Amino acid sequence: MVNSDNNPFNAECLDNLVEAQNEYNSREMQLNTLMKQKSRIIWVKEEAANTDFFHTNLKIRQVSNCISELADDHGDIISDQKKIVDILVQYFQKKFEVKQNENVDKLLDVIPFVISLEDQNMLDKIPDEQEIKDILFNMDPESSPGPDGFTGCFYRACWHIIHLDVVITIHFCWERRFIPNGLNSNFLVLLRKVQGDKSPNQFRPIGLSNVSFKIFTKIITTRMSSLMSKLISHQQVAYIKGRCIQEQIMLASEMVNEMQKKIRGGNVGLKLDISQAYDSVSWDFLLKVLSKYGVRA
């Protein structure tokens, strides 16, 4: 800028100034986007990216997400990062290892065949470009990126450039029922369940997937959601769109109140706590259940 001001009629100095300003603005936008993702403050605007609040929140998140101490099986506090990693890896490997279950096939006899040929054709149909675009644009553009580093914002902004490549990729994998290595790679992250966690069972693992892989899961989820009324009984009110879990809470409260009444034989209440049941479902058993319903996996 100084060189351009000192030589106002020099075209080369002006060109260098314009090029430098463009590069600075580009790098500043990249930095703001990166800091915004790390701070997880979705509502912060670009012009507010360098405020003290923004950077303070980022530092708080970095400190809170760091696992500095962990208790081993004997209750001893470990602060060495390598040992903490070994403890967490061993815990979750043991938790998610395959366990053979016996005498479970008889449970499948009560499952009705409810998926029709039309339903199966709807699930198997190759998604067209419009469906892929609708799925992609309905995703949260601010969600954490996967290993490839591309967020939903990139796909939205560059859709007019990359849409053909994205559609060809989806069709290639869908027709061959094959996902290339790297496309379904994930970042495994541990989230705290409680404050002051010291034990491995107080962390919840999640996977940060690539947006390109999320398209597959979102398409399948959206299509399967239309069949949930056939697959899930009306008594199950949690985790189903359009149903309210508060209904079961109110029912449980009324039943507890009824237990106070004296009846012949007495009353008994059982509280069952199934810890992360969905994380321990056998894939083999799940595929057998879907097959009984009529779904070709």
Side-chain angles (χ1 to χ4, degrees):
M1 187 179 295
V2 173
N3 292 334
S4 180
D5 291 341
N6 293 334
N7 302 278
F9 300 103
N10 191 323
E12 183 178 358
C13 292
L14 180 61
D15 292 339
N16 292 337
L17 174 61
V18 174
E19 182 179 355
Q21 287 179 335
N22 292 336
E23 183 178 0
Y24 174 80
N25 293 333
S26 176
R27 292 181 179 273
E28 184 181 32
M29 181 176 296
Q30 293 174 1
L31 177 62
N32 291 343
T33 303
L34 177 64
M35 299 292 285
K36 182 179 180 180
Q37 292 174 353
K38 288 185 176 181
S39 68
R40 309 307 300 153
I41 300 296
I42 298 178
W43 54 267
V44 170
K45 304 299 181 182
E46 297 295 338
E47 58 270 14
N50 291 318
T51 61
D52 291 338
F53 168 77
F54 189 85
H55 289 276
T56 300
N57 186 79
L58 174 59
K59 293 178 181 178
I60 293 175
R61 284 189 56 84
Q62 289 177 339
V63 173
S64 61
N65 291 336
C66 178
I67 304 176
S68 57
E69 293 182 345
L70 199 67
D72 59 12
D73 296 336
H74 304 289
D76 300 328
I77 301 299
I78 305 299
S79 58
D80 182 81
Q81 288 296 314
K82 187 177 183 305
K83 293 182 179 179
I84 291 177
V85 171
D86 293 338
I87 293 174
L88 292 173
V89 170
Q90 293 175 6
Y91 172 80
F92 286 104
Q93 281 182 342
K94 182 178 180 181
K95 179 179 179 62
F96 298 124
E97 67 182 2
V98 178
K99 298 179 182 179
Q100 298 297 332
N101 296 317
E102 300 179 357
N103 301 324
V104 296
D105 290 341
K106 61 182 180 181
L107 300 176
L108 305 176
D109 297 336
V110 298
I111 298 178
F113 192 93
V114 296
I115 300 300
S116 63
L117 181 60
E118 291 77 11
D119 295 332
Q120 185 63 55
N121 291 335
M122 181 269 293
L123 294 176
D124 293 337
K125 184 182 66 174
I126 299 177
D128 56 21
E129 180 178 340
Q130 187 60 42
E131 182 180 7
I132 295 174
K133 181 181 178 181
D134 293 340
I135 290 294
L136 181 60
F137 278 67
N138 285 332
M139 295 182 185
D140 182 10
E142 303 290 347
S143 60
S144 298
D148 63 5
F150 294 105
T151 64
C153 293
F154 166 78
Y155 283 83
R156 288 191 179 189
C158 302
W159 179 253
H160 63 288
I161 302 174
I162 65 175
H163 69 280
L164 290 179
D165 293 326
V166 174
V167 172
I168 292 174
T169 301
I170 300 299
H171 288 180
F172 174 85
C173 298
W174 201 279
E175 292 174 351
R176 292 164 178 77
R177 298 177 180 269
F178 169 74
I179 302 294
N181 291 332
L183 187 62
N184 62 339
S185 298
N186 291 263
F187 280 138
L188 297 180
V189 182
L190 297 180
L191 300 181
R192 284 182 164 87
K193 295 181 181 179
V194 296
Q195 294 293 334
D197 39 52
K198 297 295 182 183
S199 176
N201 61 1
Q202 295 175 326
F203 293 91
R204 177 170 60 91
I206 64 169
L208 305 182
S209 306
N210 295 325
V211 174
S212 53
F213 180 72
K214 290 181 181 178
I215 297 176
F216 293 101
T217 59
K218 188 68 174 178
I219 292 175
I220 297 175
T221 302
T222 303
R223 293 181 177 182
M224 285 292 295
S225 62
S226 62
L227 305 177
M228 287 297 102
S229 58
K230 293 184 177 181
L231 301 176
I232 307 298
S233 64
H234 295 287
Q235 287 73 23
Q236 174 65 38
V237 297
Y239 313 115
I240 304 298
K241 186 177 182 180
R243 302 184 186 181
C244 183
I245 193 175
Q246 279 75 17
E247 296 178 6
Q248 297 290 49
I249 298 176
M250 297 174 60
L251 177 60
S253 176
E254 293 178 1
M255 294 177 64
V256 171
N257 294 333
E258 291 293 330
M259 290 179 59
Q260 298 179 358
K261 296 182 179 180
K262 295 182 179 180
I263 63 173
R264 185 175 182 180
N267 295 312
V268 176
L270 297 177
K271 179 182 178 181
L272 304 179
D273 185 11
I274 303 177
S275 176
Q276 294 182 337
Y278 299 104
D279 294 334
S280 57
V281 175
S282 169
W283 275 106
D284 182 60
F285 179 75
L286 183 59
L287 292 176
K288 289 181 180 179
V289 171
L290 291 176
S291 177
K292 276 289 187 176
Y293 276 121
V295 178
R296 293 196 305 266

